[in-house]
Amino acid sequence: MRTQVGIVGAGPAGLMLSHLLHRAGIESVILENRSRDYIESRIRAGLIEQWASDLLVETGVGTRMQHEGMFHNGVYFAFGGALHYINFRELVGKGVTIYGQQEVIKDLVARRLADGGTILFETSDVSIHDFVGRAPKIRFRHEGGDVELACDFIGGCDGFHGICRPSIPATALTAYDREYPFGWVGILSESPPPEHELIYAYHERGFALYTMRSPTLSRLYVQCAPDDDIENWPDARIWHELHARIGGTRKLAEGPMLQKGITAMRSFVVEPMQYGRLFLAGDSAHIQPPTGAKGMNLALADVSVLARAITEFYRNGRSDLLERYSATCLRRVWKAQRFSWWMTQLFHLDATHNAFDRKRQLAELDYVTSSEAAMRSLAENYAGLPVEI
Ligand code: RFL
Ligand code: PHB
């Protein structure tokens, strides 16, 4: 089997890379170890930055998002018993869209298949070879047979636990890592939103976030211990904490919990994001705590840069953009890392915090919701920094 770009992973990064390459007339094959059904129902991110929703629309995969997505002009911060609104639209002329990652996945899969693209689901034993030279290969098992895919480039879009990053010699990479002393319990509840836009709540019992997926589906998060077990969180305890942490500002309607899980909080970046003809994109190269809602957006930003660099290679024989891929992406990645870390430390309390830290956090929350300069900076980062391609 042969293609121009072999892509490992059918998450937002792999699917969008394949879609952008197709639009430039470049062939690719995606290998995914899960089933189509599994990736289309995996509940994850929900917030799309302005430039990323524009990208979905401009490249013909945004129609359903335009109808079903929820457009937000800003965000609420809750602290001291009151809600404080930050209006991104007024501050930076941009907004964000709430539209589940699994919906983006469904739209991209449908589009790739309609355009004759190849996505091989339920592949196993994927391994990558010879990517230091000019003829990389990907070996895998599919439908009971061993397959070798020859390609010019490999897109390592297989997420944080994938095989691409560990296939690079450890001595060639530098990893930057930080773990946080807390996690999030996340639920999906069949209950109407108490507010049209998101509420990030600072509370002495810990952080909580109210977000949504539709006018009848709420998504809520509460800060928990880093090694917490979901068994420790019966429904009644989750609602109790949500009412205590957010309920002082808006009444929360309870509803049946359709899904419940714990997310660990970690910041991680590997440099460089390239080794020979293997290019890491999205979570395979970097992850961040969900507080800034950056993960899916960074995955889409990386592959926008990569698709442009690969297109220039085939069209004009240029390899300078490929050589600069890692440096170009990392400038934006580090700003998103900084923002996610900043939002996280602003809202979370841990055992090392004392009364001084709480006062400091409250002063900063007051500052970022009252100073126009601070609000503009927050809005610029939250709604998404420009992508240099
Ligand atoms: P993905 O989505 O993990 O996709 C990787 C794909 O590769 C497959 N795979 C393999 N396939 C073949 N062979 C192998 N050996 C393979 N190993 C893995 C996997 O099955 C998968 O299909 O990575 P990608 O494309 O880089 O996309 C990253 C995003 O998924 C991630 O950053 C976001 O979900 C993070 N995130 C959020 N991002 C946002 O932009 N906005 C948000 O509001 C937001 N909220 C969140 C989040 C992540 C969360 N969790 C669960 C970590 C909220 C949560 C709770
Ligand atoms: C979500 O909608 O799941 C979401 C939104 C904003 C965040 C994190 C998660 O910061």
Side-chain angles (χ1 to χ4, degrees):
M1 215 178 161
R2 190 184 150 82
T3 191
Q4 290 175 294
V5 183
I7 299 174
V8 188
L15 289 164
M16 183 52 104
L17 177 60
S18 179
H19 175 59
L20 294 175
L21 291 174
H22 169 74
R23 286 173 52 83
I26 299 163
E27 272 179 27
S28 63
V29 169
I30 305 179
L31 311 175
E32 166 60 52
N33 62 3
R34 303 288 192 160
S35 68
R36 177 174 178 181
D37 198 42
Y38 183 91
I39 64 159
E40 290 188 345
S41 48
R42 184 165 50 191
I43 297 177
R44 282 191 162 183
L47 191 138
I48 305 179
E49 294 173 355
Q50 177 77 59
W51 73 272
S53 60
D54 293 345
L55 175 75
L56 295 173
V57 173
E58 282 158 15
T59 65
V61 284
T63 311
R64 207 161 61 87
M65 177 195 70
Q66 285 179 301
H67 288 110
E68 297 172 21
M70 302 168 87
F71 301 95
H72 290 183
N73 287 321
V75 77
Y76 289 96
F77 283 4
F79 59 93
L83 283 187
H84 304 261
Y85 189 57
I86 301 173
N87 190 323
F88 306 151
R89 182 74 53 198
E90 280 176 9
L91 290 157
V92 293
K94 294 179 187 172
V96 294
T97 305
I98 290 289
Y99 186 63
Q101 177 169 320
Q102 73 277 21
E103 306 305 323
V104 176
I105 296 287
K106 282 183 207 161
D107 296 342
L108 282 167
V109 168
R111 187 60 202 233
R112 282 311 294 123
L113 297 178
D115 286 342
T118 307
I119 309 173
L120 302 179
F121 292 103
E122 298 179 71
T123 55
S124 59
D125 303 324
V126 176
S127 59
I128 57 175
H129 306 270
D130 304 332
F131 44 90
V132 182
R134 286 167 165 252
K137 287 167 203 73
I138 309 182
R139 299 199 184 108
F140 56 97
R141 282 187 71 74
H142 185 58
E143 293 175 346
D146 290 318
V147 188
E148 184 176 276
L149 173 67
C151 51
D152 299 329
F153 299 101
I154 299 177
C157 302
D158 51 349
F160 188 63
H161 300 289
I163 54 98
C164 289
R165 189 182 66 251
S167 303
I168 301 174
T171 49
L173 296 177
T174 307
Y176 301 87
D177 201 359
R178 167 187 273 263
E179 285 183 24
Y180 297 84
F182 32 77
W184 285 6
V185 177
I187 64 158
L188 191 64
S189 156
E190 216 167 354
S191 49
E195 187 49 70
H196 173 58
E197 295 177 329
L198 270 59
I199 303 174
Y200 287 81
Y202 176 88
H203 196 276
E204 62 195 24
R205 299 180 73 90
F207 172 71
L209 170 62
Y210 167 74
T211 165
M212 71 285 286
R213 288 295 177 268
S214 78
T216 54
L217 273 186
S218 293
R219 179 107 173 113
L220 294 129
Y221 298 97
V222 269
Q223 179 185 338
C224 62
D227 50 356
D228 225 328
D229 188 326
I230 198 66
E231 298 299 314
N232 297 333
W233 288 88
D235 294 6
R237 179 176 177 208
I238 297 177
W239 285 117
H240 177 77
E241 287 302 325
L242 286 168
H243 289 306
R245 298 178 195 190
I246 306 180
T249 52
R250 281 290 178 275
K251 275 275 148 295
L252 293 180
E254 292 188 18
M257 286 189 194
L258 306 181
Q259 196 250 357
K260 199 161 129 175
I262 291 195
T263 304
M265 309 279 279
R266 187 168 186 184
S267 298
F268 175 91
V269 181
V270 82
E271 293 193 11
M273 290 167 58
Q274 173 200 2
Y275 190 73
R277 288 192 166 206
L278 166 64
F279 294 85
L280 303 177
D283 277 16
S284 71
H286 42 71
I287 57 169
Q288 50 288 311
T291 329
K294 292 298 174 214
M296 172 167 54
N297 295 294
L298 277 181
L300 296 174
D302 289 350
V303 298
S304 301
V305 177
L306 184 54
R308 161 98 204 288
I310 294 176
T311 303
E312 283 299 315
F313 174 86
Y314 285 115
R315 274 202 194 142
N316 303 315
R318 283 177 65 179
S319 48
D320 56 321
L321 295 184
L322 284 169
E323 281 155 22
R324 284 208 303 272
Y325 166 74
S326 178
T328 305
C329 289
L330 285 166
R331 284 187 67 197
R332 192 174 185 282
V333 164
W334 274 110
K335 289 183 195 111
Q337 287 289 343
R338 196 281 311 167
F339 181 70
S340 304
W341 163 84
W342 176 78
M343 284 278 285
T344 304
Q345 61 82 40
L346 179 60
F347 278 98
H348 293 75
L349 289 163
D350 68 60
T352 68
H353 283 107
N354 62 15
F356 174 86
D357 293 298
R358 285 198 286 279
K359 286 282 191 189
R360 170 182 60 77
Q361 285 173 315
L362 284 165
E364 189 160 13
L365 284 162
D366 186 14
Y367 176 60
V368 298
T369 52
S370 59
S371 150
E372 190 176 319
M375 283 194 283
R376 197 185 303 279
S377 165
L378 190 148
E380 183 184 33
N381 282 280
Y382 195 99
L385 293 173
V387 179
E388 248 183 77
I389 55 169

